[in-house]
Amino acid sequence: MDMNDPQDVGAAFWAQILGVTVGEEPPPPDSPLGLVQAFVAEHGEDALRDEHFEAAMEGRPLLP
C-alpha cells in the first residue's frame, strides 16, 4: 500500500476499523471470494448471480 495515496490510506483506515486486512495476494481458493473468482473464471461474469455469493459464504458449491 502506498500511504501517500489517499485511497490506500482510506482503505487501510476502514480495514482497521472493520478488523480486516487489505491484501494484495489472491484469496485462498477455499475462501468465499476464491470460490466466486473460480466460478467466474469457469463460467464468466454473466453467469454470476446473488445466489452464488450466498452459497459461497455458506460454503456450498456454486452451481451454474
Side-chain angles (χ1 to χ4, degrees), residues 10-61:
F13 172 77
W14 285 108
Q16 185 176 14
I17 295 296
L18 296 171
V20 298
T21 303
V22 177
E24 297 193 17
E25 62 278 344
D30 60 342
S31 71
L33 182 55
L35 294 171
V36 169
Q37 286 180 335
F39 179 86
V40 168
E42 185 175 340
H43 301 285
E45 288 182 23
D46 293 336
L48 193 60
R49 297 185 309 275
D50 290 340
E51 303 88 62
H52 293 114
F53 291 104
E54 294 169 12
M57 288 187 287
E58 294 170 1
R60 294 184 287 120

